[in-house]
Amino acid sequence: MPVSKDPVERLALGGAQLGLAYGIRGSAKPDYGRALEILSTALEEGFCMVDTACLYGSSHEFIGMALGELGASMKVVTKLPTMRAGDLEEALAKALQDLRTPKVYGLMAHHGKDFNGPLGEEMASFLSRQRDLGLAYKIGFSCYSPEEALAASGVLAPQVVQLPLNALDQRFLASGALKRFKAMGAEIHVRSCFLQGLLLMDPAEGAEKVKGAGRFLERFAERASDFGLSSMELALGFCLSIEEVDRVVVGVDSPSQVSEIVLAARSAAGRVRPEDLEDLMCFDEAVIDPRTWG
């Protein structure tokens, strides 16, 4: 993807925090008023895509209500849980109803690993059918590891794939999986740019939250200082510097954080290269996979 003149065009608003208590700090579940303010600010700042899922609590409902109240539209990417085709039909119908839209930009399986399970072929056929019916422009899956993603692509050739990527978790970059998916023609969306907020914390505080993360967070903070960037700027600058990345999904807790992210993305643009942070690479899943955090 050619690098946009405005990096905000490559950002997508994360919908998990619009419907759930989410992140390492355990932010409170938002009410509709706060979700409306966040979406309104995101639109004003130039966001044109929101990423959500059936499993994100009231996210679908709040997004649909807010966009309707604001008289606005965004490209919506959503994810379906693993189910049989009949249940998937029902889940998608409810999602579209809650989102108040006849179709979505992206429709993904929430867990790519499930394509290699007993319902894999059924799920792949369902997603393909929704694309053919015009209910989704692109189909694909969300995943956690390169191995999972590449195995899933043997069942469903993705047009859009979502994966974790940040200064510590560079597995998809180092393994060459990003280039492989781009060669397949897939649109690549990355999440966990801030590692659920861990990269934005003081290293000492982060080390208390996640065992083993201390030395990585200290080096990350040192590197940010070397570049004259804030932690947020360095985290965003790294993800946006990778040419295969089409969208960086960012979660926010407040309207002011939307604007903070926009300023940071613009400030960091062109100031970081992927190779600048190679030495921060971490393969310890206890650090880089939030599912393992206690």
Side-chain angles (χ1 to χ4, degrees), residues 16 80 93 98 112 137 196 230 247:
L80 297 172
D98 287 346
Y137 179 58
Q196 288 200 10
S230 68
R247 298 279 180 170

Side-chain angles (χ1 to χ4, degrees), residues 104-235:
V104 292
Y105 178 82
L107 184 64
M108 295 190 281
H110 206 131
H111 300 290
K113 65 180 177 61
D114 293 336
F115 279 124
N116 297 106
L119 297 179
E121 293 287 351
E122 192 170 345
M123 290 172 60
S125 295
F126 174 82
L127 290 173
S128 297
R129 188 163 64 253
Q130 307 319 303
R131 178 195 56 207
D132 295 344
L133 290 170
L135 298 183
Y137 179 58
K138 293 189 176 186
I139 59 172
F141 50 79
S142 174
C143 53
Y144 284 92
S145 72
E147 296 77 17
E148 173 193 348
L150 293 171
S153 68
V155 180
L156 176 74
Q159 297 171 302
V160 58
V161 60
Q162 186 186 110
L163 51 92
L165 180 69
N166 56 68
L168 271 56
D169 185 359
Q170 302 184 34
R171 292 171 297 166
F172 280 87
L173 180 63
S175 66
L178 285 184
K179 290 188 181 297
R180 289 184 65 176
F181 280 118
K182 187 54 64 177
M184 293 178 192
E187 189 170 311
I188 296 174
H189 296 188
V190 302
R191 65 178 184 275
S192 207
C193 174
F194 305 131
L195 196 46
Q196 288 200 10
L198 182 65
L199 292 178
L200 306 183
M201 299 177 72
D202 176 89
E205 183 185 3
E208 290 182 3
K209 293 279 189 179
V210 179
K211 185 178 180 181
R215 63 190 179 93
F216 294 99
L217 297 177
E218 288 172 3
R219 283 161 53 193
F220 179 78
E222 289 170 359
R223 193 57 51 80
S225 179
D226 291 342
F227 278 96
L229 299 171
S230 68
S231 295
M232 180 178 286
E233 288 170 336
L234 184 61

Side-chain angles (χ1 to χ4, degrees), residues 30-54:
D31 57 24
Y32 172 65
R34 182 154 65 94
L36 174 63
E37 290 178 1
I38 287 172
L39 279 159
S40 177
T41 303
L43 286 162
E44 290 172 1
E45 292 285 8
F47 281 73
C48 63
M49 179 178 287
V50 60
D51 173 87
T52 183
C54 290

Side-chain angles (χ1 to χ4, degrees), residues 48-50 52 63 67 74-78 99 101 104-106:
C48 63
M49 179 178 287
V50 60
T52 183
I63 290 169
L67 292 179
M74 299 178 82
K75 292 179 178 178
V76 176
V77 176
T78 194
L99 288 164
T101 182
V104 292
Y105 178 82

